[in-house]
Amino acid sequence: MEFKDKVVVITGGTRGIGKALVETFAFNGAKVIFTYAQNDEMAAKLKNEIESKGGYADPYKLDVKNYEEIEKWRDKIIEKYEKIDVLINNAGIIKDKALMMMTKEDWLDVIDTNLNGLYNITRNFIVTFMKQKEGCIVNISSVSGVIGLPRQTNYSASKGGIIAFTKALAKEVASLNIRVNAIAPGFISTDMTATLKDDLVKKMLSLIPLQRFGKPEDVAKAALFLASKDSSYITGHTLVIDGGLSMRD
């Protein structure tokens, strides 16, 4: 397995796309360190499930908005594992509302978690990558950051910012053999989409040329590719996984 003994850090790893990322890398031989915001029980369950199947998972409760907390956590990670091979920034939240109804708190919470959280995590690990003169970063954006979606001005702004961040950082660190890419998922089947009303699901599917939602594994496998040697000549790229949704814009 290509990722045997590779150290992979994944933020927001207990559910949906994050869980698929943790499982995919762990079952491909990686030592996976994943963060979560609140649910201790869910994190422990995921760790046990992975280890029962021969994988490795090391969960940490972490607030990606807290820079100082991340500094201390990073030091623990480097002391324990001595290196980091792959960083996947997945942690994020959604607070959808029309802009006229969006509060300042709605705006700031999404920007602070999705975009500032990306900075906090990446800033704390980029020096490690630079010292190693190698590494790979995959940032999970969204099709909302590519085409913009109504009632998601805060989310679209944060995810569009992730794409710009990815391109800028890729140019900064390419000479040090560090690659930085992004993935922009469209509508993915998760706990959140499972609660949507049938009429809304029907409307959403009508916008997708492939006429179906994606699976978390679709995103996880793309991340596996972007972190592998098979993509060694790819950096600064945003891989859109949306069933063709963005073609309509």
Side-chain angles (χ1 to χ4, degrees), residues 55-235:
Y56 182 98
D58 188 5
Y60 286 82
K61 194 171 190 176
L62 187 74
D63 180 4
V64 297
K65 300 189 300 296
N66 189 322
Y67 188 91
E68 289 71 25
E69 181 182 343
I70 294 167
E71 276 188 309
K72 295 176 182 177
W73 168 70
R74 175 209 59 199
D75 291 344
K76 291 179 182 178
I77 296 302
I78 300 304
E79 181 179 357
K80 183 175 182 179
Y81 295 95
E82 298 183 343
K83 66 169 184 172
I84 171 176
D85 297 291
V86 180
L87 170 63
I88 303 180
N89 286 300
N90 173 67
I93 62 171
I94 292 177
K95 288 192 174 183
D96 292 354
K97 286 181 183 176
L99 184 62
M100 65 177 291
M101 300 296 293
M102 188 178 293
T103 65
K104 182 178 180 181
E105 182 181 58
D106 293 329
W107 174 268
L108 292 177
D109 280 353
V110 170
I111 297 297
D112 203 19
T113 302
N114 299 1
L115 191 54
N116 293 342
L118 171 80
Y119 162 79
N120 291 339
I121 294 288
T122 309
R123 173 62 182 83
N124 269 289
F125 281 107
I126 195 64
V127 174
T128 298
F129 281 131
M130 293 172 77
K131 287 179 179 178
Q132 295 173 172
K133 292 188 177 180
E134 65 176 349
C136 178
I137 300 172
V138 180
N139 299 320
I140 306 301
S141 178
S142 167
V143 70
S144 184
V146 177
I147 62 174
L149 293 175
R151 300 177 61 84
Q152 287 195 334
T153 52
N154 51 0
Y155 189 71
S156 292
S158 69
K159 293 299 186 176
I162 288 173
I163 292 172
F165 177 102
T166 297
K167 292 178 179 179
L169 183 59
K171 291 178 180 178
E172 283 185 24
V173 298
S175 63
L176 293 172
N177 196 32
I178 302 167
R179 296 186 300 109
V180 189
N181 291 292
I183 297 174
F187 294 118
I188 304 297
S189 294
T190 61
D191 294 344
M192 183 178 67
T193 56
T195 64
L196 297 175
K197 295 181 179 179
D198 290 343
D199 58 339
L200 181 56
V201 170
K202 186 176 180 180
K203 181 179 179 181
M204 292 164 69
L205 288 174
S206 71
L207 300 174
I208 303 171
L210 287 183
Q211 293 288 290
R212 62 179 175 83
F213 290 161
K215 300 176 182 178
E217 292 76 16
D218 294 327
V219 181
K221 289 176 182 177
L224 195 72
F225 166 69
L226 288 175
S228 74
K229 294 178 181 177
D230 291 336
S231 64
S232 63
Y233 201 53
I234 301 174
T235 195

Side-chain angles (χ1 to χ4, degrees), residues 41-56:
E41 184 178 350
M42 189 177 291
K45 182 180 178 182
L46 179 56
K47 172 182 170 66
N48 292 336
E49 287 177 353
I50 288 173
E51 292 184 344
S52 69
K53 297 177 182 177
Y56 182 98

